[in-house]
C-alpha cells in the first residue's frame, strides 16, 4: 500500500428484521497506520460571558416525593470510582441516555422537569449508575461566540447529584436532526450557520454538490472561519467553559466527557444522512470530500505521491446513497477499492478523519487532563451493513478504511490510546441473524473486531445499543457481549438507549431492572439468574408508583 504522510495536509493548508428480499429491506436494523500529530497552537483566550438566569421555582410536592423513602430503603448500587480506579471488581456499570430535548432550546431550564425528577429517582432505584446527556453546542453557545448558557444543564447536574447519579456529558458539536432516532431538531449555533451560509464549503459536500449542515467540515479544522476562531478552537473553548462552569461537579458527579467529533456525535463523515430521504438502510452512502478544503488536501496528497491525476475528485464510480455494493463498480468484489488508486484515496480519506480526531482529542486533553475522576471518551459508529462483503462499502464512505484486507479500527483505537480515551461503540444489542441477510449485516463480528482493536491498543471499550430495545433477547446479547467475560475483556461501561415513556412501561421496566442487575453483578460468585429475577421483580413492584408518574409525565 502506498504510504502517505498527510500530517501537513489539512485542507486549510492549501485553501452507512429478518431475512427478506432486497426490495423489502427496511431501516429497522440500521444504526448506526497513523503517526501522532502536533496539536494546533492554542487559541487566543476569550472572555467568557456566562449568562445567568434565575433558577426554576421549586416544584410542588408530587408522588415522586412520596416515594422517596421507599426508594431510599432499597439497597443502593455501588458506584464505581472513575479515572481507571474502579472499586467495582465485577460487572459493568449501566448509564441511561436522557431524552435529546432534556434541556429547553433557550438553555434556561429543563423540559418536563417533574418527569426528569421522577425518572432519575426511578433509575437510581433500579441500580443504574448514572445518565448520559447531550450538551448541545446549538443550545449552550447559540447566540454569540464565547457567550455560554449552561443554566438548564446546571439544573440537571444538581438533580443528578441529589439522586446519587453520575453523569456522562456529551460535548455535542453536531446538529440534532437528520439521523437515526433523532426526534427533535437542534441546529448548530446561529453564528456558526451564518458563517456557513457565507462560505458553504465549510459544510460537508457530496459529489453532486449537496451540502450537509450537521457538522462543520473537518477540512476547515484549522481555518479561522468562525468569527476569527478555527472550529477546533471553538470546540476547545466550549469544553473549557463547561469545565470551569461545572468545576464543583467534575470527578464526583460528572464522570465522563464524551467528545463529539462528527454527525450524531460520532467520529465519522456524514455519509448516510436520513434527512429528506437522502439515504435509507442499507445503502452504501457517499463520500463527503467535495468541499474546496477537502479537495485542496486531496490534490496536495496526490501530488505528493506523484499522481496528480488522482487529486481532482473522489472515485467517480462509487454509486449513490441508496445503492448496494454491486451497483457501484468501485465497491464490487474486485472493484476500484482494491487498486492502487483505491488504496491511495481511502488512505487519504481515512487519514483526514484520524487527524481530525487527533486535533479535537488534543484540545480535550488540554482541558481535562489534571481533572481527577473524569474520563474522556469518543464514539465510533457501528456500521454493520455490508460488513460481510469484501469492500465494506458503507464503512468506507463513513471514513473507516476497513476492508477484507485492511483493518480500519486499529488506527482509531491507537489514536484514542495516545490520549487515554475510552472507545464507545454501538450496535452491542444486535445479532447477525436478526438482520437482513442479503445486506451482509454482521454486527456481532464487527463488535468483536472493534473489541480486539481496543484490547490490543490498551483502550477501554464502552458500549451502547444502537436502537431502542426493551426485550430480553437484546438484553441477553448485551450481557453476553459486554459483561459475561473475563475481567480484562469486560466493557468499562454501558449506556442504555434511551429514557422515555416506553422504558417505564411496567413489563419493560421489570426487564430493565433485571438487565441492570445482571450487568452489575456479572462475574460475581454465587449469583443465580433466579435470584436476579426475584430482586428485579421486587424493585419493579416497589417503584411502581414512581415509574407510573415518570411514564405519564414523559408522555405529556
Amino acid at each position: 500500500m502506498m504510504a502517505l504522510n498527510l500530517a501537513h495536509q489539512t485542507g486549510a493548508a492549501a485553501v452507512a428484521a429478518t431475512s427478506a428480499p432486497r426490495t423489502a429491506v427496511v431501516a429497522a436494523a440500521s444504526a448506526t497506520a497513523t503517526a501522532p500529530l502536533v496539536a494546533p497552537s492554542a487559541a487566543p483566550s476569550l472572555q467568557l460571558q456566562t449568562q445567568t438566569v434565575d433558577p426554576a421555582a421549586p416544584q410542588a410536592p408530587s408522588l415522586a416525593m412520596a416515594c422517596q423513602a421507599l426508594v431510599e430503603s432499597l439497597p443502593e448500587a455501588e458506584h464505581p470510582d472513575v479515572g481507571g480506579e474502579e472499586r467495582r471488581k465485577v460487572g459493568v456499570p449501566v448509564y441511561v441516555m436522557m431524552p435529546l430535548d432534556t434541556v429547553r432550546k433557550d438553555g434556561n431550564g429543563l423540559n418536563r422537569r417533574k418527569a426528569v425528577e421522577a425518572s432519575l429517582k426511578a433509575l437510581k432505584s433500579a441500580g443504574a449508575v448514572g445518565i448520559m446527556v447531550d450538551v448541545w453546542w446549538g443550545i449552550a453557545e447559540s447566540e454569540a461566540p464565547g457567550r455560554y448558557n449552561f443554566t438548564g444543564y446546571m439544573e440537571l447536574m444538581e438533580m443528578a447529584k441529589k439522586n446519587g447519579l453520575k453523569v456522562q456529558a456529551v460535548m455535542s458539536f453536531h446538529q440534532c436532526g437528520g439521523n437515526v432516532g433523532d426526534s427533535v431538531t437542534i441546529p448548530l449555533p446561529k453564528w456558526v450557520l451564518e458563517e456557513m451560509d457565507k462560505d458553504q464549503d465549510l459544510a460537508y459536500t457530496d459529489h453532486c454538490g449537496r451540502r450537509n449542515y450537521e457538522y462543520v467540515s473537518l477540512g476547515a479544522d484549522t481555518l479561522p472561519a468562525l468569527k476569527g476562531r478555527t472550529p477546533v478552537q471553538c470546540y476547545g473553548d466550549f469544553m473549557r467553559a463547561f469545565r470551569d462552569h461545572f468545576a464543583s461537579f467534575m470527578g464526583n458527579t460528572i464522570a465522563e466527557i464524551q467528545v463529539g467529533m462528527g454527525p450524531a456525535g460520532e467520529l465519522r463523515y456524514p455519509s448516510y444522512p436520513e434527512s429528506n430521504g437522502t439515504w435509507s438502510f442499507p445503502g452504501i452512502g457517499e463520500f463527503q470530500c467535495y468541499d474546496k478544503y477537502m479537495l485542496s488536501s486531496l490534490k496536495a496528497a496526490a501530488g505528493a505521491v506523484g499522481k496528480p491525476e488522482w487529486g481532482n475528485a473522489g472515485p467517480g464510480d462509487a454509486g449513490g446513497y441508496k445503492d448496494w455494493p454491486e451497483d457501484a463498480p468501485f465497491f464490487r468484489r474486485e472493484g476500484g477499492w482494491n487498486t492502487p488508486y483505491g488504496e491511495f484515496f481511502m488512505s487519504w480519506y481515512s487519514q483526514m478523519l484520524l487527524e481530525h480526531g487527533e486535533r479535537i482529542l488534543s484540545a480535550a486533553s488540554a482541558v481535562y487532563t489534571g481533572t481527577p475522576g473524569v474520563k474522556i471518551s469518543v464514539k465510533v459508529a457501528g456500521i454493520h451493513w455490508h460488513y460481510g462483503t469484501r469492500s465494506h462499502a458503507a464503512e468506507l464512505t463513513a471514513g473507516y478504511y476497513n476492508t477484507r484486507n485492511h483493518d480500519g479500527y486499529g488506527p482509531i483505537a491507537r489514536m484514542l490510546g495516545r490520549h487515554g480515551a475510552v472507545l464507545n461503540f454501538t450496535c452491542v444489542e444486535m445479532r447477525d441473524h436478526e438482520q437482513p441477510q442479503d445486506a451482509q449485516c454482521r454486527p456481532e463480528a464487527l463488535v468483536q473486531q472493534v473489541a480486539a482493536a481496543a484490547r490490543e491498543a490498551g483502550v477501554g471499550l464502552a458500549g451502547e445499543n444502537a436502537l431502542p430495545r426493551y426485550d430480553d433477547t437484546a438484553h441477553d446479547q448485551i450481557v453476553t457481549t459486554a459483561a459475561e467475560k473475563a475481567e480484562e475483556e469486560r466493557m468499562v461501561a454501558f449506556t442504555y438507549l434511551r429514557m422515555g415513556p416506553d422504558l417505564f412501561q411496567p413489563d419493560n421496566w421489570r426487564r430493565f431492572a433485571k438487565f441492570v442487575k445482571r450487568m452489575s453483578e456479572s462475574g460475581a460468585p454465587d449469583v443465580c439468574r433466579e435470584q436476579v429475577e426475584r430482586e428485579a421483580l421486587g424493585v419493579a413492584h416497589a417503584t411502581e408508583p414512581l415509574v407510573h408518574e415518570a411514564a405519564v409525565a414523559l408522555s405529556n
Side-chain angles (χ1 to χ4, degrees):
M1 180 183 298
M2 295 186 179
L4 295 179
N5 181 6
L6 301 178
H8 64 290
Q9 297 167 10
T10 64
V15 188
T18 55
S19 180
R22 168 175 167 173
T23 55
V25 175
V26 294
S30 70
T32 335
T34 183
L37 302 178
V38 177
S41 58
S45 61
L46 293 178
Q47 182 179 359
L48 303 183
Q49 304 175 33
T50 304
Q51 192 173 338
T52 304
V53 181
D54 291 334
Q59 299 294 303
S62 66
L63 186 56
M65 296 177 64
C67 293
Q68 181 67 41
L70 178 60
V71 170
E72 290 177 350
S73 70
L74 294 168
E76 180 171 325
E78 181 184 44
H79 299 304
D81 290 331
V82 291
E85 299 177 357
E86 288 86 352
R87 291 193 303 270
R88 183 188 297 270
K89 299 301 182 185
V90 298
V92 176
V94 175
Y95 292 76
V96 177
M97 294 186 198
M98 297 295 289
L100 294 167
D101 62 344
T102 295
V103 171
R104 299 199 323 241
K105 288 187 178 181
D106 63 9
N108 292 333
L110 299 176
N111 284 313
R112 303 176 300 274
R113 188 185 190 283
K114 182 179 177 181
V116 173
E117 181 78 55
S119 299
L120 296 191
K121 292 180 187 301
L123 294 178
K124 173 68 174 178
S125 73
V129 166
I131 58 173
M132 173 181 278
V133 63
D134 289 280
V135 182
W136 295 106
W137 192 24
I139 288 179
E141 197 183 359
S142 176
E143 297 301 324
R147 196 167 119 199
Y148 304 100
N149 180 8
F150 294 117
T151 304
Y153 294 103
M154 178 61 77
E155 190 175 353
L156 181 66
M157 299 303 170
E158 291 171 344
M159 199 178 290
K161 182 176 183 179
K162 185 178 80 171
N163 284 282
L165 292 169
K166 303 288 187 182
V167 176
Q168 298 170 317
V170 185
M171 303 290 101
S172 294
F173 300 119
H174 61 284
Q175 165 191 293
C176 180
N179 282 290
V180 174
D182 285 353
S183 56
V184 297
T185 299
I186 302 171
L188 297 182
K190 296 175 184 177
W191 53 275
V192 174
L193 293 176
E194 288 173 2
E195 297 302 319
M196 295 176 79
D197 285 339
K198 294 175 187 175
D199 180 2
Q200 295 190 352
D201 284 291
L202 294 175
Y204 282 115
T205 308
D206 64 20
H207 78 285
C208 291
R210 283 173 289 209
R211 308 286 188 179
N212 187 305
Y213 285 80
E214 292 181 63
Y215 187 83
V216 180
S217 170
L218 64 80
D221 271 356
T222 60
L223 279 175
L226 301 181
K227 307 293 185 183
R229 291 184 295 167
T230 70
V232 174
Q233 288 171 345
C234 290
Y235 306 149
D237 289 342
F238 185 92
M239 289 187 282
R240 189 173 296 107
F242 181 85
R243 179 202 65 190
D244 293 345
H245 201 80
F246 294 96
S248 64
F249 294 85
M250 288 291 169
N252 48 69
T253 297
I254 298 174
E256 181 179 321
I257 301 294
Q258 187 173 110
V259 185
M261 295 195 172
E266 297 166 334
L267 178 63
R268 65 173 175 88
Y269 293 96
S271 56
Y272 51 99
E274 282 199 312
S275 58
N276 302 316
T278 303
W279 170 88
S280 62
F281 177 84
I284 59 177
E286 290 192 15
F287 292 114
Q288 305 291 310
C289 60
Y290 291 89
D291 64 75
K292 67 183 180 183
Y293 306 113
M294 292 289 287
L295 287 174
S296 175
S297 173
L298 177 60
K299 182 176 181 180
V305 298
K307 293 286 187 178
E309 66 273 17
W310 288 352
N312 296 322
D317 57 353
Y321 288 102
K322 298 180 181 180
D323 285 342
W324 290 50
E326 60 268 28
D327 298 328
F330 186 79
F331 294 118
R332 291 175 185 164
R333 182 180 177 88
E334 297 298 338
W337 64 274
N338 202 26
T339 65
Y341 164 72
E343 293 175 359
F344 158 79
F345 176 79
M346 285 312 311
S347 294
W348 167 80
Y349 189 68
S350 60
Q351 181 75 8
M352 291 289 282
L353 187 65
L354 285 167
E355 292 181 3
H356 173 68
E358 188 82 50
R359 292 186 202 100
I360 300 180
L361 268 181
S362 294
S365 296
V367 172
Y368 294 109
T369 297
T371 306
V374 177
K375 295 178 181 176
I376 296 175
S377 69
V378 173
K379 186 175 178 180
V380 176
I383 303 176
H384 58 86
W385 52 104
H386 306 303
Y387 183 88
T389 66
R390 293 174 63 86
S391 66
H392 294 229
E395 292 165 86
L396 297 188
T397 58
Y400 304 151
Y401 189 5
N402 193 56
T403 69
R404 188 71 59 87
N405 310 321
H406 191 279
D407 173 29
Y409 299 103
I412 294 173
R414 289 191 291 273
M415 183 262 289
L416 300 186
R418 288 194 289 273
H419 296 274
V422 170
L423 194 164
N424 186 287
F425 198 67
T426 64
C427 74
V428 178
E429 85 283 10
M430 293 183 175
R431 302 186 187 204
D432 292 352
H433 73 266
E434 297 173 338
Q435 312 305 320
Q437 295 305 297
D438 51 352
Q440 294 285 302
C441 299
R442 300 288 188 272
E444 293 176 87
L446 174 58
V447 171
Q448 289 171 7
Q449 181 185 354
V450 173
R455 283 196 303 273
E456 184 176 341
V459 168
L461 180 68
E464 296 180 3
N465 48 315
L467 298 173
R469 292 279 298 270
Y470 307 101
D471 56 288
D472 284 333
T473 299
H475 293 166
D476 288 346
Q477 180 68 9
I478 295 168
V479 172
T480 299
T481 303
E484 290 182 345
K485 293 181 175 295
E487 185 176 350
E488 64 275 10
E489 294 184 2
R490 289 188 203 124
M491 290 189 176
V492 298
F494 183 83
T495 305
Y496 193 89
L497 186 156
R498 169 182 315 272
M499 194 186 89
D502 289 342
L503 175 60
F504 294 121
Q505 295 306 308
D507 287 342
N508 291 345
W509 179 249
R510 175 184 53 78
R511 286 190 287 263
F512 173 77
K514 179 175 65 175
F515 164 74
V516 174
K517 189 76 173 173
R518 292 175 64 195
M519 289 286 280
S520 63
E521 297 190 358
S522 181
D526 304 323
V527 177
C528 66
R529 189 156 182 166
E530 291 75 15
Q531 178 184 346
V532 171
E533 290 267 10
R534 288 194 302 271
E535 293 178 356
L537 189 60
V539 169
H541 178 73
T543 57
E544 184 177 352
L546 186 64
V547 169
H548 176 72
E549 180 187 2
V552 171
L554 285 167
S555 298
N556 296 330

